[in-house]
Amino acid sequence: MKKGDHLFLVDGSGYIFRAYHALPPLTRKSDGLPVGAVSGFCNMLWKLLSDARDTSVGVTPTHFAVIFDYSSKTFRNELYPEYKANRSAPPEDLVPQFSVIREATRAFDLPCIEAEGFEADDLIATYARLAREAGAEVTVISSDKDLMQLVGPQVSMYDSMKDRQIGVPEVIEKWGVPPEKMIDLQALTGDSVDNVPGIPGIGPKTAAQLIEQFGDLDTLLARAGEIKQNKRRENIIEFADKARISRELVRLRDDVEVTEKLEDLVLNPLDGPKLVAFLKGMEFTSLTRRVAEATETDASNIDAAQVAVDAAAEMRGPDLDPGQAAPVGEIDDTPQGLAKRRAEAAGSAKIDTSAYETLSELSELKAWCDQARETGLVAFDTETTSLDAMQAELVGFSLAIAETAPDTGELKVRACYAPLAHTNGAGDLLGGGGAQPGQMPMRAALDELKALLEDPAVLKVGQNLKYDMLVLAQHGITIESFDDTMLLSYVLEAGAGGHGMDSLSERWLGHKTISYKDVTGSGKSAIPFAEVQIDRATAYAAEDADVTLRLWHVLKQRLVSDGLASVYERLERPLAPVLMRMEGNGIRVDRQILSRLSGELAQGAAALEAEIQDLAGESFNVGSPRQLGEILFDKMGLPGGTKTKTGQWSTTAQALEDLAAAGHELPRKIVDWRQLTKLKSTYTDALPGFINPRTQRVHTSFAMAATTTGRLSSSDPNIQNIPVRTAAGRKIRTAFIAEPGNVLISADYSQIELRVLAHVANIPQLTQAFADGVDIHAMTASEMFGVPVEGMPSEVRRRAKAINFGIIYGISAFGLANQLSIERSEAGDYIKKYFERFPGIKDYMEATKVEAKEHGYVTTIFGRRAHYPEIRSSNPQVRAFNERAAINAPIQGSAADVIRRAMVRMEPALEKAGANARMLLQVHDELIFEAPEAEAEKIIPLIVEVMENAAMPAVDMAVPLKVDARAALNWDEAH
DNA sequence: CCTATCTCTTA
DNA sequence: GTAAGAGATAGGT
């Protein structure tokens, strides 16, 4: 090697983990071998090599090597046994891919280097030194901060995912210190991932500032006494040795004895046939094609290489049907093959946020809309002033169109942003608030947009379109024909990760989107989106439409290949406009009632607080569990205290009730005080703030993709946890009222989850009991304890009820014992007895666990999936928790599906009956309506009928569904 | 100002 | 024992 040469060193182990996490899990080839990470690795390597060989880019490697970790045991473990001790084992489906990835590297004809006792980073450091000494340039392909210490005049890094060069200035910009100080910086901060201790309380910012101040770690440790901040000084003195050990852990060894010489790393021309054979063997159809083209190899004449057949057999999933896969080497046109190619193509696409168009003339917008009509598919996103759709003002909108949508290969996406109401910041002395130039008139633009959005022949794609629909509804625009990428992702992978656009983009496209905070700032210095400069807004907004369109291509195909289209089309997509209207309707809340209640609660709490301080003998913050625990258990010495996992005294309501039962006065008063202050702060004080000034009503927001089971959630405000159990709490419900001349109707399913359980587990006694309409808990008690239902003591029924709920929750002796305040052994006996009386339940639970472990998900009676990626965890606690959740999900989720079906059918049913009733709220098993008083009697039976028949015809349940409904002037009396 | 912890409300 | 959202405190940034 000589001056002018250029060595590329790829951090292979880093590549593997990036590839694994960037790509959808459970990608397997037809024989069952998981290959997600291999595929990602090959794509990344191929892209790197093609870019690097492209002489126009400027950097051309003459030498090249891929470096891997040898094993987890290295010399660092002798320095510090805890090093990387917190690392969990790599995911099961990744393990068999390690050896395949080394095969892949060899197939690319690249040196594949590792050394016992050393990490890849040490080898990289060693080769970098050798090359440097020979006068050559070095590029390290990695973004790992541990390697940044190597950066210097001849050595730089390259982050291939972000297409970013990392040199000395970039290191300083990111970490605040030059590369040669990175070791000292890391010694101070430590690294929780690798279990490098560092000094507690010192993060990157503080560390950089200290190094700036003292020059280096040794000087800092020697002069630590000069540091002003007490805690910081003490920590640095106390943990100085830890910092010194940390420095040795992060310092890379550049003197490893290497077997391959620099000369062995010369980059040879690619061996096309060899690589194509390997890729064919892996069934990477689209990469095979690209490589074959680039190397002018005739792929059809090359046999697929046999790779790692043993590992494949070992990891073969029982749920896979190899018969469905296409023969190796042919284009796989099954939905599965298509979905996979779409995902691969999307994952390697490059997104250029500087290529977007800003629309300032109406004619430009018209041209885009015409183009969209021609393609029949357009991604759409609005930009507004608020997250609250009911108060949001439209600021602009973005569109994205795919020029061509080929089944394979790259997607050519064009995207644009139409600013409508961008203003200059109000901080301007000369008035401010004026419109930014280059925007078309709002009215005319919206007319054009309306024509497009309401055209049923054009499919609109959005992310969380319920929000956009509600904003646009204020402008008289209704979206016809749409798909929602958030809902697609939710149907495909509920429980397997987030469904926000940022995480979807990273997961499926390997692309990190511009964050909203980057554009508007955050916290106090945040500016409204309307004040963002238009060019900056274009990059952000158009990217959202671009990404949404790419996601749609991947996810929609997966939906079909996974057989989930009907869940999406029946339970998910049609519910979005229904919820949009419910949110828009809102509910009337009586300010006076809440204000009066607040006053009463304040008085009650103040009186109790005085008594509490008196009994405690000192004044303290009653709302602080920590201070309270110290008073009760340290100062007063009350017995029976338990600690929370962080070592604090536990002061839960249950613990305080126990103390009260033992005759102590103070704990009782604390419980009462907590109830009053909770009601006041969370409900009576907070709810008036949610009354919309325009509508004078409260508009909650329903999240469609928030839970693993398929339930909705509600926020801002949450109307699904309004108190009902206590008399004091129920007063809050009296503030939820109907408009004059109207009534509220509450309709709720009776025991829906137990009915679902009876159906899915097929329990004869339960189905019979529900058919007969008997008291289900009393029946259970009678079966279990042999007590006749007539004259049954309430305590016996209470226990049976707790057990029934426990079953739904995936029962454990520990939990049941807690619930009933009995010994764990006694709870265990109850469970045993229950399973003896209802053996079908036990069978159901076991079968559900097996199903969850096999597939990684469980299914509701309507086909919705709930994923539990941690169900195979080696940690028994984590595993048990996931098992209980998996047992609960089909029950809770099927019930959630039932009410979703009812909600989708409710509006047409009401309309057909000529009713003016409006659906306002959903509380898991309850629907709240508002209707003219005169109409109530007529529509209650209709509502009940729609709800009771909601499972039909998809599922004919073995148990009837029962709904109770009632009308009143407020929610408390209607319920 | 942001985040983690604890507690409490619902189905 | 399941599923959520939210408020107050405490501790560090």
Side-chain angles (χ1 to χ4, degrees):
Chain A
M1 189 176 278
K2 57 187 186 302
K3 194 160 189 291
D5 283 347
H6 197 134
L7 170 63
F8 270 37
L9 294 166
V10 174
D11 172 13
S13 297
Y15 248 47
I16 292 178
F17 283 95
R18 271 192 138 164
Y20 178 76
H21 289 110
L23 284 167
L26 302 176
T27 307
R28 292 168 189 266
K29 72 190 185 83
S30 55
D31 66 357
L33 178 73
V35 291
V38 183
S39 158
F41 181 88
C42 290
N43 273 300
M44 287 156 79
L45 207 51
W46 172 249
K47 186 164 174 304
L48 182 64
L49 283 168
S50 355
D51 287 356
R53 285 197 169 89
D54 179 356
T55 44
S56 64
V57 177
V59 187
T60 319
T62 55
H63 297 67
F64 202 107
V66 185
I67 322 268
F68 294 96
D69 290 329
Y70 180 83
S71 76
S72 54
K73 276 264 175 279
T74 67
F75 71 92
R76 291 186 175 81
N77 295 104
E78 286 169 29
L79 274 174
Y80 186 67
E82 289 92 343
Y83 179 69
K84 293 199 177 179
N86 57 349
R87 279 281 172 94
S88 48
E92 267 179 66
D93 58 328
L94 178 55
V95 172
Q97 301 188 60
F98 287 132
S99 67
V100 184
I101 283 170
R102 285 165 173 77
E103 285 293 320
T105 310
R106 285 185 272 272
F108 274 91
D109 236 349
L110 297 172
C112 176
I113 301 176
E114 49 200 315
E116 188 170 0
F118 295 97
E119 294 184 31
D121 292 357
D122 298 309
L123 288 163
I124 291 173
T126 302
Y127 279 112
R129 176 183 60 85
L130 292 170
R132 219 177 53 224
E133 287 170 1
E137 298 272 314
V138 180
T139 298
V140 177
I141 317 298
S142 171
S143 59
D144 193 337
K145 67 173 184 311
D146 296 345
L147 286 161
M148 290 188 183
Q149 57 184 272
L150 303 177
V151 170
Q154 283 164 270
V155 182
S156 65
M157 289 171 68
Y158 174 70
D159 179 348
S160 59
M161 298 285 272
K162 292 185 191 139
D163 187 22
R164 205 170 66 99
Q165 202 78 24
I166 303 168
V168 176
E170 285 79 14
V171 173
I172 294 174
E173 188 196 341
K174 175 93 199 277
W175 297 97
V177 297
E180 62 272 17
K181 295 282 167 69
M182 278 301 292
I183 299 173
D184 286 357
L185 180 126
Q186 289 178 269
L188 286 167
T189 59
D191 186 335
S192 59
V193 177
D194 291 346
N195 215 24
V196 173
I199 290 180
I202 298 200
K205 298 286 173 228
T206 313
Q209 179 239 313
L210 288 169
I211 290 169
E212 167 82 9
Q213 185 183 349
F214 290 94
D216 60 49
L217 180 66
D218 287 320
T219 315
L220 163 66
L221 295 180
R223 292 167 45 196
E226 297 170 24
I227 293 167
K228 283 197 276 296
Q229 296 92 334
N230 288 332
K231 192 74 196 159
R232 187 175 293 174
R233 182 180 60 245
E234 287 163 18
N235 275 338
I236 291 175
I237 293 168
E238 183 180 350
F239 296 101
D241 282 340
K242 283 271 193 285
R244 290 191 189 94
I245 293 175
S246 299
R247 178 168 53 183
E248 294 321 304
L249 292 175
V250 300
R251 188 197 306 267
L252 298 181
R253 287 272 298 269
D254 63 2
D255 56 352
V256 182
E257 277 193 41
V258 290
T259 44
E260 279 86 354
K261 300 275 168 295
L262 285 178
E263 288 67 42
D264 302 331
L265 309 186
V266 169
L267 181 61
N268 300 311
L270 209 55
D271 181 344
K274 180 172 163 187
L275 181 53
V276 166
F278 173 84
L279 295 172
K280 261 181 119 169
M282 298 309 293
E283 300 168 14
F284 298 157
T285 41
S286 98
L287 186 59
T288 305
R289 187 178 42 72
R290 291 211 299 275
V291 171
E293 272 171 27
T295 58
E296 291 172 3
T297 307
D298 182 2
S300 55
N301 283 333
I302 292 175
D303 290 331
Q306 292 290 313
V307 182
V309 177
D310 290 348
E314 191 183 306
M315 290 300 292
R316 189 169 293 140
D319 54 320
L320 292 162
D321 177 10
Q324 285 193 358
V328 168
E330 287 177 24
I331 297 285
D332 177 358
D333 274 331
T334 61
Q336 290 79 11
L338 200 57
K340 204 168 119 190
R341 285 204 304 286
R342 283 263 164 89
E344 276 172 22
S348 58
K350 199 150 166 186
I351 294 176
D352 180 2
T353 59
S354 62
Y356 300 135
E357 236 177 280
T358 306
L359 309 188
S360 56
E361 299 291 338
L362 212 50
S363 57
E364 295 172 311
L365 175 60
K366 283 201 168 107
W368 274 82
C369 290
D370 287 343
Q371 181 71 49
R373 268 184 280 268
E374 207 161 291
T375 331
L377 175 69
V378 62
F380 168 75
D381 186 32
T382 57
E383 300 303 331
T384 67
T385 53
S386 169
L387 275 174
D388 174 1
M390 287 300 291
Q391 297 205 45
E393 301 281 341
L394 197 55
V395 173
F397 62 88
S398 51
L399 303 173
I401 294 173
E403 300 251 85
T404 51
D407 289 343
T408 57
E410 244 181 302
L411 197 61
K412 294 253 184 266
V413 178
R414 289 168 56 219
C416 67
Y417 177 60
L420 300 174
H422 283 259
T423 56
N424 290 307
D428 190 353
L429 277 176
L430 300 167
Q436 289 184 36
Q439 304 184 79
M440 55 192 116
M442 169 88 83
R443 247 347 278 243
L446 287 183
D447 285 345
E448 193 64 38
L449 181 66
K450 182 180 164 86
L452 180 69
L453 296 183
E454 296 188 347
D455 183 348
V458 181
L459 180 65
K460 269 68 63 172
V461 180
Q463 164 76 12
N464 189 18
L465 269 177
K466 171 163 71 68
Y467 174 86
D468 306 276
M469 289 192 285
L470 192 49
V471 171
L472 292 167
Q474 325 294 320
H475 296 271
I477 298 175
T478 320
I479 300 185
E480 293 288 335
S481 306
F482 70 92
D483 261 334
D484 190 323
T485 47
M486 180 184 80
L487 301 182
L488 287 168
S489 166
Y490 183 59
V491 168
L492 289 168
E493 305 210 298
H499 309 286
M501 202 176 56
D502 302 350
S503 56
L504 292 183
S505 176
E506 289 206 38
R507 187 154 14 136
W508 294 97
L509 310 179
H511 172 75
K512 202 160 166 19
T513 53
I514 304 170
S515 88
Y516 189 76
K517 278 184 188 165
D518 288 347
V519 183
T520 61
S522 72
K524 221 173 147 184
S525 56
I527 56 168
F529 195 85
E531 287 171 25
V532 173
Q533 290 304 305
I534 285 174
D535 54 347
R536 191 87 185 101
T538 294
Y540 171 82
E543 181 190 52
D544 278 3
D546 181 352
V547 165
T548 302
L549 190 57
R550 290 173 198 270
L551 285 172
W552 180 85
H553 276 88
V554 179
L555 297 176
K556 190 72 189 251
Q557 189 56 55
R558 263 289 297 275
L559 189 75
V560 174
S561 68
D562 280 22
L564 289 166
S566 77
V567 174
Y568 172 72
E569 277 159 22
R570 291 188 183 280
L571 299 175
E572 218 60 55
R573 190 174 58 188
L575 189 62
V578 175
L579 289 172
M580 183 271 286
R581 287 185 283 273
M582 289 170 66
E583 294 178 9
N585 289 338
I587 186 165
R588 187 163 179 205
V589 171
D590 189 321
R591 264 207 184 80
Q592 271 68 48
I593 294 180
L594 292 175
S595 151
R596 201 186 67 231
L597 283 172
S598 272
E600 289 171 14
L601 292 167
Q603 280 195 327
L608 277 169
E609 191 164 346
E611 293 173 40
I612 288 165
Q613 310 282 12
D614 202 40
L615 283 168
E618 66 179 283
S619 107
F620 69 107
N621 184 348
V622 187
S624 163
R626 204 181 125 189
Q627 293 180 30
L628 175 63
E630 283 164 13
I631 299 250
L632 290 174
F633 300 108
D634 292 331
K635 184 181 164 195
M636 299 175 65
L638 298 188
T642 59
K643 300 271 182 98
T644 67
K645 63 172 181 261
T646 51
Q648 278 188 45
W649 290 111
S650 169
T651 66
T652 60
Q654 183 63 60
L656 298 175
E657 294 282 6
D658 292 347
L659 290 171
H664 300 287
E665 215 180 335
L666 183 55
R668 170 89 263 148
K669 292 195 188 297
I670 304 278
V671 171
D672 293 343
W673 181 89
R674 278 194 184 158
Q675 191 196 15
L676 299 186
T677 51
K678 174 79 177 176
L679 293 175
K680 182 170 186 290
S681 65
T682 310
Y683 303 106
T684 61
D685 286 353
L687 279 171
F690 287 102
I691 297 175
N692 183 296
R694 182 164 54 85
T695 66
Q696 289 297 313
R697 291 165 74 99
V698 170
H699 306 264
T700 185
S701 174
F702 288 107
M704 299 184 68
T707 70
T708 301
T709 56
R711 273 191 178 178
L712 303 177
S713 78
S714 152
S715 63
D716 309 295
N718 180 358
I719 50 78
Q720 295 181 322
N721 71 348
I722 304 297
V724 72
R725 292 200 225 272
T726 65
R730 273 198 301 276
K731 286 187 183 170
I732 290 160
R733 291 197 170 212
T734 65
F736 288 78
I737 56 174
E739 289 292 327
N742 288 256
V743 286
L744 293 182
I745 299 167
S746 161
D748 69 302
Y749 285 103
S750 161
Q751 309 279 16
I752 188 169
E753 293 192 346
L754 275 177
R755 288 171 199 262
V756 168
L757 175 69
H759 171 81
V760 294
N762 191 19
I763 310 299
Q765 301 104 304
L766 288 180
T767 34
Q768 189 60 50
F770 280 123
D772 296 345
V774 306
D775 178 338
I776 198 71
H777 301 311
M779 187 284 289
T780 307
S782 175
E783 282 269 347
M784 277 187 68
F785 305 116
V787 182
V789 171
E790 291 289 316
M792 174 179 292
S794 64
E795 176 57 24
V796 174
R797 183 178 179 280
R798 187 180 78 91
R799 294 196 173 198
K801 184 176 173 182
I803 294 167
N804 276 332
F805 273 99
I807 295 296
I808 291 170
Y809 298 155
I811 204 148
S812 77
F814 179 85
L816 183 64
N818 259 339
Q819 180 66 32
L820 288 176
S821 299
I822 57 176
E823 290 300 314
R824 204 185 308 189
S825 57
E826 197 183 351
D829 292 343
Y830 283 177
I831 294 169
K832 205 168 143 227
K833 188 78 176 267
Y834 186 95
F835 286 152
E836 281 165 15
R837 302 301 304 167
F838 304 99
I841 302 268
K842 171 119 197 177
D843 296 342
Y844 163 77
M845 290 182 155
E846 290 305 319
T848 307
K849 278 194 256 183
V850 169
E851 184 193 350
K853 269 169 212 177
E854 251 182 50
H855 300 113
Y857 60 82
V858 291
T859 312
T860 68
I861 57 179
F862 299 96
R864 175 191 299 280
R865 291 178 186 172
H867 292 256
Y868 292 92
E870 290 188 299
I871 191 119
R872 291 146 144 177
S873 167
S874 54
N875 178 333
Q877 274 197 10
V878 173
R879 197 171 58 239
F881 176 77
N882 278 272
E883 286 172 357
R884 289 193 299 269
I887 288 169
N888 171 256
I891 305 170
Q892 191 186 110
S894 299
D897 290 347
V898 167
I899 198 166
R900 278 174 182 253
R901 289 171 65 91
M903 293 169 76
V904 168
R905 292 175 185 182
M906 192 62 74
E907 288 179 320
L910 290 171
E911 191 168 352
K912 196 172 156 214
N916 289 304
R918 299 169 295 168
M919 197 156 43
L920 309 185
L921 304 176
Q922 189 248 46
V923 191
H924 309 309
D925 65 359
E926 175 188 15
L927 293 173
I928 315 289
F929 302 81
E930 187 174 37
E933 202 179 345
E935 204 175 79
E937 210 172 313
K938 188 180 100 189
I939 63 165
I940 285 179
L942 176 63
I943 290 170
V944 169
E945 193 198 321
V946 170
M947 289 174 74
E948 290 188 340
N949 293 309
M952 297 285 274
V955 175
D956 190 5
M957 290 182 65
V959 178
L961 293 177
K962 182 162 174 284
V963 170
D964 300 310
R966 194 157 24 157
L969 293 178
N970 67 61
W971 190 7
D972 181 39
E973 286 168 37
H975 183 72

Short mmCIF file of all heavy atoms in Angstrom, two decimals, chain A residues 803-826:
data_model
loop_
_atom_site.label_atom_id
_atom_site.label_comp_id
_atom_site.label_asym_id
_atom_site.label_seq_id
_atom_site.Cartn_x
_atom_site.Cartn_y
_atom_site.Cartn_z
N ILE A 803 -62.48 -14.12 40.25
CA ILE A 803 -61.85 -15.20 39.48
C ILE A 803 -62.22 -15.07 38.00
O ILE A 803 -61.36 -15.20 37.13
CB ILE A 803 -62.27 -16.58 40.04
CG1 ILE A 803 -61.71 -16.75 41.44
CG2 ILE A 803 -61.76 -17.69 39.13
CD1 ILE A 803 -62.31 -17.92 42.21
N ASN A 804 -63.47 -14.78 37.72
CA ASN A 804 -63.87 -14.60 36.32
C ASN A 804 -63.07 -13.50 35.64
O ASN A 804 -62.60 -13.67 34.52
CB ASN A 804 -65.37 -14.29 36.24
CG ASN A 804 -66.21 -15.56 36.27
OD1 ASN A 804 -65.75 -16.63 35.86
ND2 ASN A 804 -67.44 -15.45 36.78
N PHE A 805 -62.91 -12.39 36.34
CA PHE A 805 -62.10 -11.32 35.76
C PHE A 805 -60.66 -11.77 35.60
O PHE A 805 -60.01 -11.50 34.60
CB PHE A 805 -62.18 -10.06 36.62
CG PHE A 805 -63.34 -9.19 36.25
CD1 PHE A 805 -64.52 -9.22 36.97
CD2 PHE A 805 -63.27 -8.36 35.14
CE1 PHE A 805 -65.61 -8.45 36.60
CE2 PHE A 805 -64.35 -7.58 34.77
CZ PHE A 805 -65.53 -7.62 35.51
N GLY A 806 -60.16 -12.47 36.62
CA GLY A 806 -58.79 -12.98 36.56
C GLY A 806 -58.55 -13.85 35.34
O GLY A 806 -57.51 -13.75 34.69
N ILE A 807 -59.52 -14.68 35.01
CA ILE A 807 -59.38 -15.56 33.85
C ILE A 807 -59.20 -14.73 32.59
O ILE A 807 -58.32 -14.99 31.77
CB ILE A 807 -60.64 -16.46 33.70
CG1 ILE A 807 -60.76 -17.41 34.89
CG2 ILE A 807 -60.62 -17.22 32.39
CD1 ILE A 807 -59.64 -18.41 35.01
N ILE A 808 -60.02 -13.70 32.46
CA ILE A 808 -59.91 -12.83 31.28
C ILE A 808 -58.54 -12.18 31.21
O ILE A 808 -57.99 -11.96 30.15
CB ILE A 808 -61.02 -11.75 31.34
CG1 ILE A 808 -62.38 -12.40 31.13
CG2 ILE A 808 -60.76 -10.67 30.30
CD1 ILE A 808 -63.53 -11.47 31.41
N TYR A 809 -57.96 -11.90 32.38
CA TYR A 809 -56.67 -11.21 32.43
C TYR A 809 -55.50 -12.17 32.39
O TYR A 809 -54.36 -11.77 32.67
CB TYR A 809 -56.57 -10.35 33.69
CG TYR A 809 -57.59 -9.26 33.78
CD1 TYR A 809 -57.98 -8.75 35.00
CD2 TYR A 809 -58.17 -8.72 32.63
CE1 TYR A 809 -58.92 -7.73 35.10
CE2 TYR A 809 -59.11 -7.72 32.71
CZ TYR A 809 -59.48 -7.22 33.95
OH TYR A 809 -60.41 -6.22 34.04
N GLY A 810 -55.72 -13.47 32.13
CA GLY A 810 -54.62 -14.42 32.08
C GLY A 810 -54.11 -14.78 33.46
O GLY A 810 -52.91 -14.90 33.69
N ILE A 811 -55.01 -14.98 34.35
CA ILE A 811 -54.84 -15.23 35.79
C ILE A 811 -53.47 -15.70 36.28
O ILE A 811 -52.76 -16.43 35.59
CB ILE A 811 -55.90 -16.28 36.22
CG1 ILE A 811 -56.21 -16.18 37.71
CG2 ILE A 811 -55.43 -17.70 35.86
CD1 ILE A 811 -57.61 -16.54 38.04
N SER A 812 -53.08 -15.21 37.45
CA SER A 812 -51.94 -15.76 38.19
C SER A 812 -52.35 -15.80 39.66
O SER A 812 -53.17 -15.01 40.10
CB SER A 812 -50.70 -14.89 38.03
OG SER A 812 -50.79 -13.75 38.84
N ALA A 813 -51.78 -16.76 40.39
CA ALA A 813 -52.12 -16.87 41.81
C ALA A 813 -51.74 -15.58 42.53
O ALA A 813 -52.45 -15.10 43.40
CB ALA A 813 -51.39 -18.07 42.42
N PHE A 814 -50.62 -15.00 42.11
CA PHE A 814 -50.14 -13.76 42.73
C PHE A 814 -51.18 -12.64 42.58
O PHE A 814 -51.55 -11.97 43.55
CB PHE A 814 -48.83 -13.36 42.06
CG PHE A 814 -48.25 -12.09 42.60
CD1 PHE A 814 -47.45 -12.10 43.73
CD2 PHE A 814 -48.50 -10.89 41.97
CE1 PHE A 814 -46.91 -10.93 44.23
CE2 PHE A 814 -47.97 -9.71 42.46
CZ PHE A 814 -47.17 -9.73 43.59
N GLY A 815 -51.69 -12.48 41.37
CA GLY A 815 -52.63 -11.40 41.11
C GLY A 815 -53.96 -11.61 41.80
O GLY A 815 -54.53 -10.68 42.38
N LEU A 816 -54.45 -12.84 41.76
CA LEU A 816 -55.74 -13.12 42.39
C LEU A 816 -55.64 -12.92 43.90
O LEU A 816 -56.54 -12.37 44.53
CB LEU A 816 -56.19 -14.54 42.06
CG LEU A 816 -57.56 -14.94 42.59
CD1 LEU A 816 -58.66 -14.08 41.97
CD2 LEU A 816 -57.85 -16.42 42.33
N ALA A 817 -54.51 -13.35 44.47
CA ALA A 817 -54.29 -13.19 45.91
C ALA A 817 -54.32 -11.71 46.27
O ALA A 817 -54.94 -11.30 47.26
CB ALA A 817 -52.96 -13.81 46.31
N ASN A 818 -53.68 -10.88 45.46
CA ASN A 818 -53.67 -9.44 45.69
C ASN A 818 -55.07 -8.87 45.64
O ASN A 818 -55.47 -8.07 46.49
CB ASN A 818 -52.85 -8.77 44.60
CG ASN A 818 -51.47 -8.42 45.10
OD1 ASN A 818 -51.27 -8.31 46.32
ND2 ASN A 818 -50.54 -8.24 44.19
N GLN A 819 -55.81 -9.27 44.61
CA GLN A 819 -57.14 -8.73 44.40
C GLN A 819 -58.06 -9.05 45.57
O GLN A 819 -58.85 -8.21 45.99
CB GLN A 819 -57.71 -9.32 43.10
CG GLN A 819 -59.10 -8.85 42.75
CD GLN A 819 -59.15 -7.37 42.43
OE1 GLN A 819 -58.20 -6.81 41.90
NE2 GLN A 819 -60.26 -6.73 42.76
N LEU A 820 -57.95 -10.26 46.07
CA LEU A 820 -58.89 -10.70 47.10
C LEU A 820 -58.31 -10.57 48.51
O LEU A 820 -58.98 -10.92 49.49
CB LEU A 820 -59.29 -12.16 46.85
CG LEU A 820 -60.24 -12.39 45.65
CD1 LEU A 820 -60.48 -13.87 45.42
CD2 LEU A 820 -61.57 -11.67 45.87
N SER A 821 -57.07 -10.08 48.60
CA SER A 821 -56.39 -10.00 49.90
C SER A 821 -56.40 -11.35 50.60
O SER A 821 -56.81 -11.46 51.77
CB SER A 821 -57.02 -8.92 50.79
OG SER A 821 -56.93 -7.67 50.18
N ILE A 822 -55.99 -12.38 49.88
CA ILE A 822 -55.87 -13.71 50.50
C ILE A 822 -54.46 -14.24 50.24
O ILE A 822 -53.69 -13.62 49.52
CB ILE A 822 -56.91 -14.69 49.90
CG1 ILE A 822 -56.76 -14.79 48.38
CG2 ILE A 822 -58.33 -14.29 50.27
CD1 ILE A 822 -57.69 -15.81 47.72
N GLU A 823 -54.13 -15.37 50.86
CA GLU A 823 -52.81 -15.97 50.66
C GLU A 823 -52.68 -16.47 49.23
O GLU A 823 -53.65 -16.91 48.63
CB GLU A 823 -52.61 -17.14 51.63
CG GLU A 823 -52.48 -16.73 53.08
CD GLU A 823 -51.27 -15.81 53.29
OE1 GLU A 823 -50.18 -16.13 52.76
OE2 GLU A 823 -51.42 -14.77 53.97
N ARG A 824 -51.44 -16.48 48.77
CA ARG A 824 -51.21 -16.94 47.41
C ARG A 824 -51.59 -18.42 47.25
O ARG A 824 -52.09 -18.83 46.21
CB ARG A 824 -49.76 -16.72 47.01
CG ARG A 824 -49.62 -16.63 45.52
CD ARG A 824 -48.19 -16.54 45.07
NE ARG A 824 -47.45 -15.47 45.75
CZ ARG A 824 -46.22 -15.11 45.37
NH1 ARG A 824 -45.64 -15.72 44.36
NH2 ARG A 824 -45.58 -14.17 46.01
N SER A 825 -51.33 -19.19 48.30
CA SER A 825 -51.64 -20.62 48.20
C SER A 825 -53.16 -20.82 48.05
O SER A 825 -53.61 -21.68 47.29
CB SER A 825 -51.13 -21.35 49.43
OG SER A 825 -51.67 -20.77 50.60
N GLU A 826 -53.91 -20.01 48.78
CA GLU A 826 -55.37 -20.12 48.69
C GLU A 826 -55.85 -19.74 47.29
O GLU A 826 -56.70 -20.41 46.69
CB GLU A 826 -56.03 -19.21 49.74
CG GLU A 826 -57.48 -19.56 49.98
CD GLU A 826 -58.16 -18.61 50.98
OE1 GLU A 826 -57.47 -17.78 51.61
OE2 GLU A 826 -59.39 -18.71 51.11
#
